């Protein structure tokens, strides 16, 4: 006979699974319709459940969207931390971080989601909060890689935090241009700009980054 604790555990697992399914469905619908246009009814239709079931797990649409964005953000931050912690010299680790940050293509689903979130976040505090958390974590990780490189003598940088903030701001602007203006900039050139900016911030020649790996396909 199953104990009461086991039954409660099973129900909790089922609830967690259902929440995860709803979050994934919300992400798919948002990517298709956009944050501002997505309704609870759209997510219910995508998962073949009732709106009432969605509201059982998430009190409001804002709660659902916030949890979806936070889940996506935490997953990306965790992956970035893993990449930054992998073995290699400071140049190699910094280059891996830069390559992870830039879009894989103009149709990169993660970047499309965050570009949409930026537009909505201007007026929606719950979205803006997630964006600030994501950007703060990215800058923190990038500054950490630069700081460690300076400590080992591989980099020359007396302000890793400032360097990370400048690289972040430049990359965000270039990624918007790359994503929205087809033909205006190739992915290879985007990575080149990122490497040049990073090299200047850490006192190295951009050529040291070019040696790390071949240019990505455009």
């Amino acid at each position: 006979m199953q104990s009461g604790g086991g039954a409660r555990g099973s129900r909790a697992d089922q609830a967690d699974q259902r929440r995860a399914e709803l979050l994934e469905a919300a992400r798919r619908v948002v990517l298709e319709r956009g944050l501002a246009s997505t309704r609870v009814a759209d997510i219910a239709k995508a998962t073949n459940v009732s709106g009432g079931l969605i509201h059982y797990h998430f009190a409001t649409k804002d709660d659902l969207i916030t949890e979806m964005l936070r889940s996506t953000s935490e997953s990306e931050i965790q992956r970035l931390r893993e990449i930054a912690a992998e073995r290699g010299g400071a140049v190699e680790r910094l280059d891996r971080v830069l390559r992870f940050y830039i879009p894989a293509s103009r149709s990169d689903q993660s970047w499309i989601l965050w570009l949409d979130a930026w537009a909505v976040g201007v007026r929606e505090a719950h979205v803006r909060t997630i964006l600030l958390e994501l950007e703060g974590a990215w800058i923190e990780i990038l500054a950490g890689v630069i700081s460690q490189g300076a400590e080992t003598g591989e980099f020359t940088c007396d302000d890793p935090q400032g360097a990370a903030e400048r690289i972040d701001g430049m990359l965000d602007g270039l990624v918007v241009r790359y994503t929205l203006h087809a033909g205006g900039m190739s992915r290879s050139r985007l990575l080149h700009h990122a490497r040049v900016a990073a090299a200047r911030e850490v006192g190295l020649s951009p050529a040291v980054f070019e040696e790390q790996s071949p240019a990505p396909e455009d």
Side-chain angles (χ1 to χ4, degrees), residues 53-134:
L53 179 62
I54 292 178
H55 284 302
Y56 172 80
H57 292 280
F58 302 95
T60 66
K61 172 192 162 182
D62 285 354
D63 289 340
L64 173 56
I65 295 300
T66 298
E67 187 63 27
M68 182 273 290
L69 291 175
R70 175 165 283 116
S71 175
T72 302
S73 172
E74 289 177 349
S75 177
E76 293 184 9
I77 291 169
Q78 178 58 33
R79 181 58 185 143
L80 183 58
R81 292 192 191 281
E82 293 170 356
I83 289 173
E86 289 175 1
R87 292 184 178 181
V91 172
E92 181 183 357
R93 293 171 61 234
L94 179 53
D95 196 54
R96 285 200 304 260
V97 169
L98 295 176
R99 290 172 66 85
F100 177 80
Y101 190 76
I102 67 174
S105 69
R106 285 188 173 83
S107 59
D108 186 302
Q109 297 296 283
S110 175
W111 266 104
I112 289 174
L113 176 64
W114 295 123
L115 288 174
D116 188 14
W118 279 351
V120 173
V122 172
R123 294 180 176 82
E124 301 290 342
H126 65 285
V127 174
R128 185 164 60 249
T129 296
I130 304 300
L131 291 169
L132 292 175
E133 291 174 358
L134 177 61

Side-chain angles (χ1 to χ4, degrees), residues 3 35 38 44-45 50 57 87 95 119 126 155 165 184 198 213:
S3 68
L35 277 169
T38 294
K45 182 177 180 181
S50 68
H57 292 280
R87 292 184 178 181
D95 196 54
H126 65 285
F155 294 158
E165 291 171 353
S213 58

Side-chain angles (χ1 to χ4, degrees), residues 98-112 115 118 169-194 215-218:
L98 295 176
R99 290 172 66 85
F100 177 80
Y101 190 76
I102 67 174
S105 69
R106 285 188 173 83
S107 59
D108 186 302
Q109 297 296 283
S110 175
W111 266 104
I112 289 174
L115 288 174
W118 279 351
M170 183 212 67
L171 280 181
D172 284 348
L174 288 177
V175 168
V176 171
R177 180 181 175 188
Y178 167 73
T179 304
L180 299 182
H181 300 287
M185 178 181 296
S186 66
R187 186 167 181 264
S188 298
R189 188 158 181 78
L190 174 57
L191 178 60
H192 173 73
H193 286 323
E217 296 182 2
D218 294 344

